[in-house]
Amino acid sequence: MRGARRDSVAFTVVVTVLVALGALLMLAILALSGAPGTLLLATVLAAVPVGPLVGCYLWLDRYEPEPRSLLAAGLLWGCFVATGFALLVQGVGGFVLTFTDRQSLELVAPITEEASKGLFLFLLLWWRRGELDGVLDGIVYAGMVGIGFAFTENILYLAAAYNGTDGAGPGGTEALTATFVVRCLISPFAHPLFTTFTGIGVGLAVNARSGAARFLWPVLGYGCAVAAHATWNTSTVYGFDNFALLYVVLMAPAFFAVLGLAIWSRRSERRMLAAALADAAQRGLIPATDIGWVVDLRARRAARAYARRSGGRPAERAMREYQQAAIELGFLHYRLLRGTPPPDYAARGQQFLQRIDRLRPTIAFPGQVVPTR
């Protein structure tokens, strides 16, 4: 556990320092990108898709909700670190190696941007592997990073469109509106989708049995992210008709395919949790009668509502904490059964069991007698 705490501190320090440095860099870049009024308008418009996109990922992340602090860290990483690093590398590379605009768009941008976004996922895999339980977690964290990246990038694009510095025309309201429609309404999922491939690779690596697979899955995921990003960028070079064709034929189906994978993964988590907790119940770690109230989302909500009616907010918090501890135990026990337990399996499992043993006498599920407090 000391090693896990040390890794957690290292992750927190590194991410915090890089986010702070990235924020300073991006704020300086934004300050040079237009008048304050233009930047304010661009920021408001860029924020339009953020709420719905974050809500979609939180909806997916309901079985074993990830720590809100880590999700926020992913969002901030995308906003500041990923964008700042990508712009810095592209700027230095363009100055030293003299890339053409087309080379930068089709090759340099996909490689650097997916690397800068994916680095957050690699840091999670390296230092906070215990927070990753599979593909769905990788998708959720990748989505948060992609949303943050797109938000900041959209501010720059919207401001440039309005100022007429994007090379596409004289600027003004018409150019701003066109950019807003394309980037914020038609394709707000683009960056989250690209980075999702890296997230899938990281999620597969968590439960991989061999060392080679744990290395290759993230690399393959990153390669797919770069390929998808490069394909998307290349389509813009050949005019709107080709862009629209790629959007309809490839990118939209890819988005719905990834969404289907995420929903399938969530349903698979229910079956996996039920099987893992059933085995844990046979070992006497958790009452078998509680499993349905933990793995079924509707039953979980009903149990929390029953606890709130019976004992108020404190009872609801106790029920929520108990369910969360049981879910965490289920995921951890699944990794044991699969043969890929984390190094701190025993210590983490003991923590979850202690929480379960402490909370279980204080809660009651619908149809059970409410404990007297």
Side-chain angles (χ1 to χ4, degrees), residues 233-310:
N233 282 8
T234 300
S235 71
T236 63
V237 175
Y238 298 98
F240 181 79
D241 290 342
N242 288 284
F243 169 80
L245 179 64
L246 179 74
Y247 182 91
V248 173
V249 173
L250 185 60
M251 298 308 294
F255 169 75
F256 286 110
V258 170
L259 178 61
L261 173 64
I263 295 174
W264 176 84
S265 297
R266 195 178 69 177
R267 291 177 178 173
S268 297
E269 284 189 350
R270 172 177 173 170
R271 295 190 295 270
M272 177 270 292
L273 277 173
L277 288 175
D279 185 85
Q282 291 180 354
R283 301 171 189 240
L285 303 180
I286 186 174
T289 54
D290 294 0
I291 295 175
W293 300 106
V294 171
V295 302
D296 184 84
L297 291 174
R298 184 176 299 178
R300 277 161 56 172
R301 290 193 297 269
R304 292 171 186 174
Y306 176 75
R308 184 171 60 251
R309 291 194 304 270
S310 303

Side-chain angles (χ1 to χ4, degrees), residues 317-373:
R317 285 194 297 270
M319 177 65 74
R320 186 182 298 273
E321 186 179 352
Y322 176 81
Q323 290 173 332
Q324 185 66 24
I327 293 168
E328 296 279 7
L329 178 67
F331 276 106
L332 190 64
H333 195 64
Y334 167 75
R335 294 179 65 178
L336 173 69
L337 297 176
R338 183 176 170 81
T340 58
D344 59 345
Y345 165 80
R348 289 177 58 202
Q350 190 61 35
Q351 283 187 339
F352 297 144
L353 289 174
Q354 288 174 354
R355 287 167 60 191
I356 289 171
D357 292 341
R358 172 175 57 85
L359 291 165
R360 187 60 185 89
T362 69
I363 66 171
F365 295 104
Q368 298 176 349
V369 177
V370 179
T372 303
R373 292 177 172 79

Side-chain angles (χ1 to χ4, degrees), residues 84 102 120 122 138 142 152 244 257 276 292 301 309 315 370-371:
R102 182 166 176 174
F120 180 82
F122 297 145
T152 302
R301 290 193 297 269
R309 291 194 304 270
V370 179

